[in-house]
Amino acid sequence: MAGFILKADNLHKNFDEFKAVKGVSFEIGEGEIYSLLGPNGAGKTTTISMLTGLLSPTSGNAYLNGFSVREDVNRVKEIIGVVPQEIALYPTISARENLSFWGKMVGLKGKQLSERIDIALEISGLADRAKDQVETFSGGMKRRLNIAVGLLHEPKIIFMDEPTVGIDPQSRRRILDTVKSLNENGMAVLYTTHYMEEAEELSDRIGIIDHGKLIAQGTQEELTQMVGEFDTIKLNIGEIENIEERAKKLCKLPKIENAFGENGDLMLQARDANEVLSEVIEHLNNVKIKIHSLKIQEPNLEAVFLHLTGRALRD
Amino acid sequence: MKPWTIALKDTLIAFRDRNAILLMIAAPLMISMIMGAAFGNMGGNTSPISEISLIIVNADKGELGKNFTEIISSIDVESSEGIKPLFAVEEYIDKDEAIAQVEIGKARGVLYIPVDFSTHVENRGESVNPPLLEVYTDPSASISPGIIRGVVQRIVNGFNTISIGNNVAVEQIFENLDENSAQEIYANLENLEEIIIAENESFGKVEGRRERIIITSKTLGAGEDLDLLGYFVPSMSIFFLMFAAFEGTRSILEEERDGTLHRLMITPTSIIEILLGKIGGTFLTGILQFVILVAISALLFGVHWSDSLLPLILLTIVTVIAVTSLGAFLAGFSRNANQAGILGSTLNLVFAILGGNFILTTAFPDWLTIISKLTVNRWALDGFSTLALSHGTLINILPNIAALLGMAIFYFTLATVLFKRRFIK
Ligand SMILES: Nc1ncnc2c1ncn2[C@@H]1O[C@H](COP(=O)(O)OP(=O)(O)O)[C@@H](O)[C@H]1O
Ligand SMILES: [Mg+2]
């Protein structure tokens, strides 16, 4: 088996009394895309901060290409690229000036620097806006530039912390495609998200993180097998008030394991969908809720999270 | 290398920001001008070379004063709009009222012909006290004073030569005067520029030069216009240098807030290099700001900053170092960028008032003078004033340089301690 580019070994991080990360261990192989999937506040950013040398772990250690983040943090910084969750750019100078500055900060210069800047502009699709001030960019363009900065020195592994939060579908599509094409060129990726579809689409392996702990990890198949014996029923009932409370009430029906409601959908888990369907429909009829559509779903990561935590995976 | 990259980046950001430029360059110049104008000694707008408004106060009891007035009124010049009188003459009775007209800018000059003028000339200069022709000119005008003085001078020359030696009737004197002197004046007006230059050069030496008739010339307000700017421009430059420098060091906290500081820390760059770069950028921006202010004010408004360059350069450098260090201390002390902004503006204002940027420190009581001397502003301003107003040399400002350096070291040490506690774990 190829070596690990990253190995996190029982990382802990306390902020005073509060334990934000409680023993996270995982590995990323060379050229692998690994996603940390978890809701807001799960500890994704804190974990990345420890892996990139920004925060020192309360206990545990991590190694990048064999270098410890505790002892060899400068060697670590040379091989990693980081795309922070918040857009970290200078808004009043141009895209090219931003790239040039950050390129110099990772040690690029001269011809190599300008070549890499051109490549980065190409990748992010911003070549025609290179001279414009960043503050004139849309949210999606800023996110793309934010990523491009992290790619300048062609790192062996790139950390992307929720790079698609709050942007338009096209930019999101473009970012996901960028991640894939970078990976095809051999770059390993640590990708954090709270969108299950992104984790499903991108990842070779996925770690599900909640309350500072990795509660499950593996390939998508391995993870969904965990809920293999369950059916997930998805009912579209349209936007109604108190959808979460409706879900909780449904949970009390016999044989329903888990339930949650979101964006007009009710998601229910049961060992056998057919056994519970009639009861669910009757219950909704009684409370005068109209069902627009009904689907029995293949197990997915959302279902896994629901199964493991009894909660919905969202912010 | 890395600190330099960061410093250049910050300088680029500062000079790319229109608001910052407004604050760094335009505001100090504009406020200096406004303050200068408020004291009534600004201007230098072009004076018309025809119809120069001149008030004549003719107190002479005899005929000659009237005649003098007529000569002046009859001088014509060829202007772009045809033949025009050189002076638009108005006659006043009251001298003070006439002078007031000049002070409020309604007239360019006053000629006062004294009571005993005719008597004196008719006695061919044998009276004990020669009569005193008084000329008052507008200090804000650059051309008309020379013309007024030049013309009066020439007419007087005519009186003097004619009244020496020959027993000529008064009437004849004036016929001569009319034809010769007036014509000479008229001819010479073609060399107007030379007259102005010559008169302006001899201005001030005029008094007492003539035997028979003495002319005293006064520029009202005694030419304080440049001196005022020599005080206000450095003063406002220091004040706005401080604004910009505090913004510069405050950007450390802004970068912390906006996540770029974290991103910098993820690059192979130590926090010490980053902080050095940030502080260096503030210094570099401050130096550039000051150099631009010196250059613009010297070129456009003729502000005289210093007799020689070296003391000015040294004083500028230590001033910027001191202000930057104070800013660094403030940034280290503040919890976040917001707080640093509020603290910075407050401190800036308090220091400026204490340091004499707005109020002259000469009026301060002793205890306030002591407090005043604890500010960077006071030492910097005193230094620049010494160079600009008293023609000071390097020796004269050595105490200022030493005091500013001392403050810089003090604040920088404090800043280092605070930054260490904050950023280096
Ligand atoms: N500097 C900090 N001080 C105190 N608490 C923090 C700090 N950073 C993060 N936390 C807390 O740690 C938890 C995990 O945060 P984070 O790693 O940002 O989560 P995620 O990135 O998964 O949304 C959250 O509860 C957050 O409030
Ligand atoms: Mg996060």
Side-chain angles (χ1 to χ4, degrees):
Chain A
M1 185 177 186
F4 294 123
I5 181 81
L6 180 151
K7 182 173 162 58
D9 185 11
N10 202 19
L11 288 172
H12 285 78
K13 185 68 196 180
N14 302 349
F15 295 113
D16 299 323
E17 296 293 284
F18 180 72
K19 292 180 170 136
V21 174
K22 303 180 260 193
V24 165
S25 302
F26 65 99
E27 289 107 20
I28 301 179
E30 277 174 18
E32 190 181 28
I33 301 184
Y34 186 99
S35 288
L36 276 179
L37 175 68
N40 269 347
K44 303 184 294 294
T45 300
T46 306
T47 303
I48 285 198
S49 296
M50 288 189 281
L51 295 172
T52 55
L54 204 52
L55 286 178
S56 63
T58 306
S59 69
N61 203 345
Y63 304 89
L64 283 120
N65 224 12
F67 297 115
S68 154
V69 293
R70 284 182 180 280
E71 283 93 43
D72 282 317
V73 69
N74 282 328
R75 305 297 292 274
V76 167
K77 285 173 176 178
E78 280 163 18
I79 55 169
I80 62 171
V82 183
V83 179
Q85 179 169 3
E86 304 301 330
I87 290 163
L89 300 167
Y90 299 107
T92 55
I93 56 176
S94 74
R96 181 176 284 278
E97 284 160 346
N98 265 282
L99 288 165
S100 171
F101 170 72
W102 291 109
K104 285 176 196 158
M105 292 310 291
V106 292
L108 297 172
K109 50 179 180 271
K111 198 163 164 258
Q112 195 190 26
L113 175 62
S114 60
E115 279 171 10
R116 296 282 177 80
I117 291 174
D118 289 337
I119 295 171
L121 285 168
E122 207 52 54
I123 292 175
S124 52
L126 293 169
D128 56 332
R129 297 291 303 270
K131 285 187 183 142
D132 294 347
Q133 285 193 5
V134 171
E135 66 187 356
T136 66
F137 286 9
S138 71
M141 291 161 74
K142 285 181 194 162
R143 286 244 166 243
R144 271 139 58 191
L145 185 61
N146 201 35
I147 294 173
V149 166
L151 299 172
L152 278 170
H153 60 305
E154 298 186 336
K156 283 179 180 291
I157 178 167
I158 186 147
F159 295 84
M160 294 183 149
D161 195 2
E162 307 213 34
T164 60
V165 168
I167 59 171
D168 59 284
Q170 282 107 313
S171 282
R172 181 181 194 179
R173 187 69 260 149
R174 184 160 192 131
I175 287 170
L176 296 179
D177 291 343
T178 304
V179 174
K180 282 191 221 166
S181 83
L182 288 171
N183 179 248
E184 275 159 23
N185 292 323
M187 202 182 283
V189 182
L190 173 60
Y191 191 96
T192 81
T193 183
H194 65 269
Y195 298 122
M196 128 192 119
E197 316 83 53
E198 288 185 358
E200 282 179 352
E201 177 177 340
L202 292 173
S203 319
D204 296 313
R205 286 190 306 129
I206 296 158
I208 296 179
I209 185 169
D210 190 38
H211 291 312
K213 277 190 175 144
L214 266 185
I215 51 178
Q217 63 175 322
T219 62
Q220 195 185 329
E221 289 79 46
E222 286 165 356
L223 289 171
T224 46
Q225 265 172 21
M226 297 171 73
V227 288
E229 68 259 47
F230 290 98
D231 287 333
T232 301
I233 305 161
K234 190 171 177 179
L235 294 148
N236 186 282
I237 53 173
E239 295 288 346
I240 61 163
E241 280 173 38
N242 305 332
I243 196 159
E244 288 174 52
E245 283 181 18
R246 304 277 178 204
K248 273 188 203 130
K249 279 202 184 119
L250 282 168
C251 241
K252 298 209 176 89
L253 294 179
K255 293 193 178 157
I256 294 204
E257 301 282 333
N258 278 309
F260 76 96
E262 187 180 45
N263 296 337
D265 286 329
L266 276 175
M267 309 269 277
L268 310 173
Q269 277 180 333
R271 276 186 197 281
D272 186 350
N274 293 325
E275 258 183 59
V276 295
L277 257 183
S278 59
E279 265 182 275
V280 169
I281 294 169
E282 196 183 312
H283 172 87
L284 290 176
N285 257 338
N286 286 344
V287 293
K288 303 216 157 46
I289 289 176
K290 218 176 143 197
I291 300 167
H292 300 302
S293 71
L294 183 155
K295 198 162 111 189
I296 298 177
Q297 270 189 343
E298 290 289 301
N300 62 16
L301 292 176
E302 188 103 60
V304 175
F305 192 83
L306 183 62
H307 172 70
L308 290 173
T309 66
R311 286 178 297 116
L313 174 64
R314 64 203 149 99
D315 27 2
Chain B
M1 192 58 214
K2 293 275 178 72
W4 178 239
T5 305
I6 295 172
L8 281 184
K9 180 266 298 174
D10 277 352
T11 307
L12 174 70
I13 288 176
F15 281 91
R16 192 57 70 71
D17 181 354
R18 265 193 220 111
N19 294 331
I21 297 272
L22 221 59
L23 198 76
M24 290 194 299
I25 311 290
L29 291 175
M30 264 161 43
I31 292 179
S32 311
M33 301 253 304
I34 291 167
M35 284 186 150
F39 283 79
N41 290 295
M42 290 287 306
N45 20 352
T46 52
S47 313
I49 52 163
S50 66
E51 298 183 313
I52 298 166
S53 56
L54 176 69
I55 298 177
I56 297 181
V57 180
N58 181 14
D60 186 20
K61 294 210 178 79
E63 288 296 305
L64 296 191
K66 214 185 279 173
N67 237 310
F68 205 126
T69 309
E70 274 165 25
I71 298 172
I72 286 189
S73 309
S74 66
I75 302 169
D76 287 332
V77 286
E78 211 167 317
S79 75
S80 53
E81 293 136 42
I83 308 275
K84 294 222 160 165
L86 179 60
F87 297 107
V89 174
E90 263 189 284
E91 293 197 49
Y92 271 60
I93 314 264
D94 185 40
K95 187 169 91 178
D96 292 336
E97 202 184 313
I99 290 174
Q101 293 299 304
V102 177
E103 278 169 347
I104 61 172
K106 289 268 165 70
R108 288 292 181 192
V110 171
L111 169 65
Y112 174 73
I113 304 171
V115 179
D116 55 351
F117 184 68
S118 291
T119 330
H120 173 78
V121 177
E122 280 159 18
N123 295 341
R124 295 177 201 107
E126 280 153 28
S127 56
V128 186
N129 297 313
L132 208 60
L133 274 181
E134 296 170 26
V135 175
Y136 300 89
T137 50
D138 179 355
S140 74
S142 50
I143 299 174
S144 59
I147 298 178
I148 295 170
R149 289 195 300 267
V151 168
V152 171
Q153 188 68 67
R154 259 151 237 272
I155 298 173
V156 166
N157 284 353
F159 276 86
N160 281 329
T161 44
I162 290 165
S163 64
I164 293 171
N166 302 322
N167 292 331
V168 199
V170 172
E171 282 87 328
Q172 280 175 309
I173 295 176
F174 274 97
E175 265 165 39
N176 280 334
L177 248 184
D178 245 340
E179 281 170 25
N180 299 334
S181 294
Q183 223 136 59
E184 189 202 338
I185 289 161
Y186 186 79
N188 267 324
L189 284 175
E190 285 166 17
N191 312 326
L192 196 58
E193 265 178 58
E194 282 164 38
I195 297 178
I196 294 163
I197 291 166
E199 283 306 321
N200 279 334
E201 269 175 13
S202 66
F203 176 51
K205 300 176 207 151
V206 169
E207 199 160 351
R209 211 178 63 187
R210 309 290 169 201
E211 303 165 52
R212 305 285 162 171
I213 303 163
I214 295 173
I215 304 172
T216 63
S217 300
K218 277 197 196 124
T219 303
L220 297 170
E224 278 175 9
D225 49 346
L226 287 191
D227 287 356
L228 267 183
L229 281 186
Y231 169 77
F232 282 129
V233 174
S235 173
M236 287 300 108
S237 297
I238 294 166
F239 180 64
F240 284 94
L241 167 74
M242 206 173 244
F243 251 117
F246 286 1
E247 273 306 295
T249 46
R250 189 172 86 92
S251 75
I252 297 170
L253 306 183
E254 286 178 325
E255 291 216 38
E256 187 183 38
R257 176 193 67 199
D258 299 339
T260 43
L261 186 69
H262 276 169
R263 189 166 218 167
L264 283 169
M265 286 161 78
I266 293 167
T267 67
T269 315
S270 72
I271 183 69
I272 292 172
E273 286 176 294
I274 294 171
L275 291 175
L276 269 182
K278 296 295 296 175
I279 292 169
T282 306
F283 172 75
L284 189 62
T285 307
I287 291 285
L288 280 176
Q289 178 191 1
F290 221 87
V291 167
I292 293 172
L293 284 172
V294 169
I296 293 184
S297 62
L299 292 177
L300 288 190
F301 314 125
V303 172
H304 173 81
W305 281 81
S306 176
D307 287 352
S308 58
L309 219 48
L310 182 69
L312 182 62
I313 291 172
L314 288 179
L315 187 60
T316 301
I317 291 175
V318 291
T319 300
V320 178
I321 291 179
V323 170
T324 303
S325 303
L326 176 57
F329 162 65
L330 211 64
F333 178 82
S334 303
R335 220 174 312 118
N336 53 41
N338 252 351
Q339 197 189 28
I342 295 165
L343 278 181
S345 313
T346 311
L347 192 79
N348 199 355
L349 219 56
V350 171
F351 266 36
I353 291 168
L354 286 177
N357 289 90
F358 293 110
I359 310 166
L360 282 175
T361 49
T362 42
F364 283 5
D366 285 350
W367 63 273
L368 202 54
T369 301
I370 294 169
I371 296 176
S372 169
K373 291 208 165 170
L374 295 176
T375 66
V376 172
N377 306 49
R378 175 66 188 269
W379 289 98
L381 183 57
D382 280 356
F384 284 109
S385 296
T386 304
L387 293 181
L389 304 178
S390 333
H391 301 279
T393 61
L394 186 57
I395 308 278
N396 303 125
I397 59 159
L398 277 182
N400 303 71
I401 290 181
L404 289 167
L405 265 184
M407 289 181 183
I409 292 168
F410 175 69
Y411 289 127
F412 196 83
T413 310
L414 287 182
T416 312
V417 172
L418 290 168
F419 281 139
K420 231 182 207 163
R421 211 180 283 168
R422 184 186 193 110
F423 293 114
I424 303 166
K425 284 143 208 160

